[in-house]
Amino acid sequence: MAEEKILLDHGSGGKVSHSMFAELILPLFENPELSKQDDGAIFDVDKGKLAFSTDSYVVDPIFFPGGNIGDLAVNGTINDVSMCGAVPKFISVGLIIEEGFPVKDLKLILETMAGAAGKAGVKIVTGDTKVVPRGKADKIFINTSGIGVIPKGVDVSGGNAEPGDKIIISGTIADHGITVLSSREGLRFDSDIQSDSAPLNRMVSSITSSGCDIHVLRDPTRGGLGTTLNEIASQSRVGIKIDELSLPVRGAVQGVCELLGFDPLYIANEGKLIAFVPEKDAGKVLEIIRQDEFGKDAVIIGEVTNEDPGKVFLQTAIGGTRIIDMLTGEQLPRIC
Amino acid sequence: MSLKYIDEYRDAGLARQLVKKIQAVSKKKLRLMEVCGTHTMSIFRHGIRSVLPGGITLLSGPGCPVCVTAQKDIDAFVELTKIKDVIVTTFGDLIKVPGSGSSLANEKASGADVRIVYSLFDAVNLARKNKDKEIVFCGVGFETTIPTIAAGILIAAGDKIDNFSVYTSNKLTPPALAALMETPDIEIDGFILPGHVSVITGTNAYRDTFEKYDMPSVITGFEPIDILKAILILIQQNEEGKPALENAYPRAVSDQGNVKAKEIMNRVFEVCDAPWRGLGEIPFSGMKLKKEFQGFDAALKFDVNVPDMPEPKGCACGQILMGLKTPKECALYKKRCTPMNPVGPCMVSTEGSCAAFYRYN
Amino acid sequence: MCLAVPSKIIEINDTVARVDVDGVIRETCIMLIDDVKIGDYVIVHAGFAINKVDEEAALKTLEDMRSILAMEDRKADGLSGHP
């Protein structure tokens, strides 16, 4: 591609669009379904249930330590499909690009997306590109949708939690949200905190194929662990109790939280899952998660109770309890 | 994880021992008031109420600067956003606080240039970089923050940055404590005094109030061990009938406080009367710019005129701030007034008593 | 009010210092305090260091509390107070 900046022409559907697809996009995402260049992708799937999910990505900044908007968009949808207990297979990508966006940045984002899909073993089979006039979008927005196949016998849902279930988290919380926040202009932190953006499909497959009973899988993204636990407590009409001392938080992440008055329980994760597992299988599932490259720091953080349905309680380090409510609005840096 | 001077004061074993000790010595029914929003937050966050004996009630006093900022001042901040070429800068705490009609967040959503800063430094730098704009800072703070606002103004004055100004709504803690003690029907058995305000003021700043009212008073930090220790001391003082002014935060607070910070604060500001939301006018409880710094006074620079509007009907924020009511006793609590749709200031700030109550109870 | 976090000074440049909170580095203004040196811990509020942490007092607070509580515990049930 000769141009250095994305022009409105790149979204026109004409020659310039075609050359961008042929020269930039196709070589990166290459697969038989996409190469056909039909209006949609046609593919075979195994018999049984499908899972289908979509998500849009508007993160600011678009590049941050540990990733960029591209792998975030691919991993995010892979994870959403995986949390249905499905094996993600195919992904669609919709790009909305602001006029004047540097082609080299776009290339980097697309390369990262291709890398993320390849790593997860998922194909990007259809897509779309639109270019909007300067100021009508902020640099680049990405939508991804994904389809996955649910293996026979797998039945996970936010409504399946049962009293006695142990709750496992696959690693440290709040890494992604704090990374993005720290890289925003104005806050000016230096640290080695990185986004945890990662595909969790292999971890999920290992768990669901282990023969263990799995009730709930969820990735605590926006709203953080606290909000996700509230969703599950209300979907399943159960109480949830977690233990503050068991919550894994990286030192630097905790540091930023202290500085800005944030609660890590309400900060986004992009490469973590929580699993609700009956006590008998909890130890085994924990071991399986720990074997995965993205699950080394997995721990049990609490359990499901039949008291106070719909409510989430935290046992604090000093032995007190407090209610963990859903996040009500965006957390803002405070000085007080 | 290792956060020095934080982790060791969160030591679970030590905290549990302190709780045991508190349980053992507590006999009388006591109402203890913290006058610092960060204490309020910390008490909720660590579940401190849930480990205290039933006879101990913790009240959240007028310690959240956002909560006590007069509605009229919020209205003025909102008016400032409507002036051409003005960028309004604020700490994140203030942005959602409703005035009589709107909030900074509302105006921002409608296109006004409102920016959250983390430090006065950032606001001054914004002025440095945007010479064609007027940068106004919403100066809301207690003794901890006022010196940083003063320092920002001194930096701006030194560097001849003339497109920077501050709309001041500063508040001082000891006069508010004295006003509280003069309120009829007030029932307080001890004060947990604010740690970081006291870093600046020093223990001595409370001596007059303490001597006049003989009120058990303990300055402390913000970690569970600090707060539990202060509660234990206040209980012991009450049980023994020996009120005292104690400093349980000696790693940060001295008798005379931060002399240099006070000097900088007093170079730029002078004491004035100030209106407190819910409490009314309190003599000598505010700080306004001195004459020689009036060039930095946004109120004079922009001629902001806002009418006096009555405070929201039914809102009990004032009584809640004085410990006369708990959030649950307010008719609007959880009904018309929620964190999503706050009516009174105590629901807006995350450290406001009502918001904290809503979130953690 | 007044969130403030103990931070370690790692670099000083006139009135601006770089401080570290467990690997998070940022700038802070030190014009409100005197005699700071690299390695000192300062309490930082809204981008300004508002005081130095008194290390001796910090340790003493904890030690005093531990010994008082341990004594009480031993008195109460004959056990050592340390869990």
Side-chain angles (χ1 to χ4, degrees):
Chain A
M1 233 175 106
E3 299 83 3
E4 281 181 8
K5 305 252 176 204
I6 293 292
L7 310 171
L8 285 172
D9 287 344
H10 285 111
S12 66
K15 261 195 184 155
V16 186
S17 301
H18 279 274
S19 79
M20 177 163 83
F21 180 76
E23 290 165 34
L24 185 63
I25 298 178
L26 188 60
L28 285 170
F29 294 170
E30 183 82 64
N31 58 59
E33 289 82 1
L34 187 65
S35 303
K36 279 189 185 153
Q37 300 189 36
D38 285 326
D39 278 354
I42 300 168
F43 43 74
D44 292 317
V45 288
D46 307 335
K47 250 191 202 159
K49 284 185 185 163
L50 294 181
F52 181 36
S53 181
T54 189
D55 211 339
S56 300
Y57 297 82
V58 296
V59 63
D60 171 38
I62 53 175
F63 295 99
F64 45 81
N68 66 49
I69 190 170
D71 56 342
L72 195 66
V74 171
N75 289 335
T77 287
I78 286 173
N79 293 346
D80 283 347
V81 172
S82 303
M83 296 311 135
C84 303
V87 179
K89 299 274 189 192
F90 307 105
I91 283 193
S92 74
V93 172
L95 303 170
I96 296 173
I97 311 170
E98 186 185 14
E99 178 188 15
F101 189 69
V103 170
K104 70 165 181 32
D105 286 356
L106 178 62
K107 187 156 183 257
L108 188 55
I109 290 168
L110 293 171
E111 279 167 0
T112 321
M113 295 181 87
K119 192 163 186 203
V122 174
K123 286 196 242 178
I124 296 172
V125 291
T126 186
D128 175 54
T129 305
K130 292 284 188 299
V131 180
V132 297
R134 213 171 233 287
K136 300 286 175 192
D138 187 11
K139 299 186 236 356
I140 184 169
F141 298 154
I142 302 179
N143 171 275
T144 51
S145 298
I147 287 179
V149 179
I150 300 177
K152 228 185 166 127
V154 172
D155 174 24
V156 298
S157 159
N160 291 355
E162 281 176 24
D165 283 358
K166 293 285 177 194
I167 304 166
I168 302 169
I169 183 138
S170 64
T172 53
I173 60 169
D175 296 320
H176 175 75
I178 291 297
T179 303
V180 168
L181 206 103
S182 308
S183 25
R184 262 185 211 158
E185 207 187 346
L187 287 175
R188 294 175 301 141
F189 291 125
D190 294 337
S191 74
D192 55 2
I193 309 173
Q194 288 211 340
S195 167
D196 57 348
S197 174
L200 300 174
N201 55 328
R202 296 216 163 82
M203 187 191 292
V204 170
S205 291
S206 324
I207 305 171
T208 52
S209 63
S210 65
C212 295
D213 237 350
I214 312 295
H215 290 164
V216 183
L217 292 172
R218 211 32 101 70
D219 56 340
T221 52
R222 261 184 320 175
L225 179 63
T227 302
T228 303
L229 290 174
N230 267 281
E231 288 164 4
I232 296 167
S234 91
Q235 269 179 283
S236 296
R237 299 180 175 283
V238 292
I240 289 177
K241 207 168 165 184
I242 57 171
D243 178 7
E244 183 175 33
L245 284 173
S246 71
L247 289 177
V249 187
R250 272 180 222 287
V253 168
Q254 185 69 43
V256 174
C257 287
E258 299 294 337
L259 292 173
L260 299 179
F262 285 179
D263 188 338
L265 278 170
Y266 295 112
I267 304 279
N269 309 280
E270 288 291 346
K272 298 291 150 45
L273 63 74
I274 46 176
F276 284 55
V277 182
E279 190 172 6
K280 66 176 174 61
D281 288 331
K284 192 173 168 199
V285 172
L286 182 64
E287 266 325 297
I288 295 169
I289 294 176
R290 282 183 178 164
Q291 298 297 317
D292 190 274
E293 67 173 305
F294 304 116
K296 292 188 184 72
D297 300 322
V299 281
I300 293 175
I301 55 166
E303 61 187 11
V304 178
T305 68
N306 47 20
E307 295 154 36
D308 301 294
K311 289 219 158 84
V312 181
F313 291 88
L314 175 83
Q315 161 126 46
T316 66
I318 65 160
T321 46
R322 75 175 222 227
I323 286 192
I324 305 294
D325 196 7
M326 250 193 216
L327 180 65
T328 37
E330 192 190 0
Q331 290 196 91
L332 296 169
R334 32 184 205 101
I335 61 132
C336 298
Chain B
M1 155 177 146
S2 98
L3 295 166
K4 197 171 175 191
Y5 299 119
I6 292 184
D7 288 351
E8 55 268 48
Y9 295 90
R10 286 185 189 168
D11 182 305
L14 191 54
R16 286 171 202 226
Q17 277 178 283
L18 265 168
V19 169
K20 246 169 86 181
K21 172 89 179 164
I22 287 171
Q23 300 274 6
V25 297
S26 164
K27 294 188 180 68
K28 291 184 186 158
K29 276 195 161 191
L30 297 176
R31 290 159 59 86
L32 309 177
M33 176 179 272
E34 83 269 359
V35 279
C36 169
T38 311
H39 275 149
T40 309
M41 288 290 276
S42 193
I43 286 165
F44 278 110
R45 175 176 168 193
H46 299 288
I48 288 177
R49 274 193 178 81
S50 68
V51 298
L52 295 180
I56 305 296
T57 306
L58 297 183
L59 306 166
S60 301
C64 153
V66 166
C67 301
V68 299
T69 299
Q71 183 175 280
K72 198 172 171 176
D73 287 338
I74 307 282
D75 287 346
F77 300 154
V78 167
E79 281 309 301
L80 284 163
T81 66
K82 297 175 181 164
I83 300 170
K84 195 171 172 283
D85 290 330
V86 163
I87 301 176
V88 170
T89 54
T90 173
F91 292 136
D93 316 50
L94 199 63
I95 194 153
K96 289 183 191 163
V97 185
S100 60
S102 181
S103 67
L104 290 173
N106 250 334
E107 297 304 316
K108 185 171 188 273
S110 326
D113 200 342
V114 179
R115 302 198 195 173
I116 293 176
V117 290
Y118 181 66
S119 162
L120 252 290
F121 225 58
D122 303 335
V124 174
N125 281 337
L126 199 65
R128 222 188 281 273
K129 282 187 209 146
N130 294 277
K131 282 285 168 201
D132 52 333
K133 302 273 186 190
E134 280 289 337
I135 312 303
V136 182
F137 179 75
C138 304
V140 166
F142 280 82
E143 289 90 335
T144 323
T145 317
I146 303 172
T148 75
I149 301 175
I153 287 170
L154 288 179
I155 293 169
D159 295 351
K160 304 218 170 353
I161 298 171
D162 57 5
N163 60 329
F164 173 75
S165 57
V166 177
Y167 194 102
T168 56
S169 178
N170 298 315
K171 302 282 185 290
L172 298 172
T173 307
L177 295 180
L180 210 58
M181 293 309 302
E182 293 293 334
T183 308
D185 303 327
I186 207 91
E187 269 182 71
I188 302 172
D189 302 302
F191 281 126
I192 300 171
L193 295 174
H196 292 144
V197 160
S198 307
V199 163
I200 304 293
T201 66
T203 312
N204 291 342
Y206 306 100
R207 206 146 319 261
D208 288 350
T209 315
F210 168 73
E211 277 165 10
K212 187 162 175 199
Y213 300 101
D214 247 358
M215 174 64 67
S217 304
V218 179
I219 295 168
T220 200
F222 300 89
E223 301 311 326
I225 304 274
D226 294 319
I227 294 171
L228 289 169
K229 185 182 173 196
I231 292 170
L232 175 61
I233 295 172
L234 288 173
I235 294 173
Q236 283 171 328
Q237 288 186 12
N238 271 287
E239 295 294 342
E240 291 161 15
K242 289 180 190 158
L245 170 61
E246 285 189 50
N247 176 9
Y249 197 29
R251 65 185 185 276
V253 175
S254 60
D255 281 350
Q256 67 282 3
N258 183 338
V259 175
K260 189 175 182 189
K262 281 194 282 192
E263 189 273 312
I264 286 177
M265 171 165 88
N266 291 322
R267 206 187 308 166
V268 177
F269 292 107
E270 60 191 359
V271 172
C272 62
D273 299 347
W276 293 55
R277 193 162 182 164
L279 304 182
E281 186 101 350
I282 301 178
F284 312 118
S285 69
M287 286 204 112
K288 60 174 187 188
L289 283 159
K290 279 187 169 169
K291 235 195 184 103
E292 56 265 47
F293 292 99
Q294 280 181 353
F296 292 99
D297 192 338
L300 299 174
K301 201 170 188 176
F302 297 104
D303 191 28
V304 184
N305 267 318
V306 285
D308 273 317
M309 298 290 281
E311 293 190 359
K313 252 201 180 138
C315 171
C317 278
Q319 287 146 302
I320 289 167
L321 290 176
M322 290 186 280
L324 298 175
K325 273 190 179 174
T326 65
K328 278 186 214 164
E329 287 162 342
C330 171
L332 305 186
Y333 177 74
K334 269 194 170 177
K335 293 185 185 90
R336 241 180 74 210
C337 186
T338 66
M340 279 82 79
N341 216 340
V343 176
C346 298
M347 187 60 94
V348 179
S349 165
T350 43
E351 59 170 329
S353 329
C354 297
F357 237 82
Y358 188 99
R359 205 141 38 106
Y360 294 129
N361 261 16
Chain C
M1 74 174 290
C2 308
L3 210 58
V5 178
S7 315
K8 187 180 183 176
I9 298 217
I10 54 171
E11 202 184 303
I12 296 175
N13 225 325
D14 196 18
T15 57
V16 176
R18 283 169 71 75
V19 295
D20 176 0
V21 177
D22 204 13
V24 184
I25 317 283
R26 70 201 162 119
E27 284 188 344
T28 189
C29 182
I30 50 171
M31 65 185 275
L32 298 177
I33 53 175
D34 281 321
D35 308 324
V36 274
K37 55 181 193 302
I38 289 170
D40 282 349
Y41 275 79
V42 290
I43 295 175
V44 178
H45 168 69
F48 286 78
I50 56 167
N51 212 355
K52 278 198 278 191
V53 180
D54 183 336
E55 171 139 36
E56 222 172 280
L59 289 173
K60 196 168 177 298
T61 304
L62 284 172
E63 272 166 24
D64 286 356
M65 208 165 359
R66 284 212 170 87
S67 60
I68 290 167
L69 288 169
M71 223 154 51
E72 296 277 335
D73 262 24
R74 268 196 295 275
K75 258 194 284 177
D77 52 24
L79 294 167
S80 159
H82 289 277

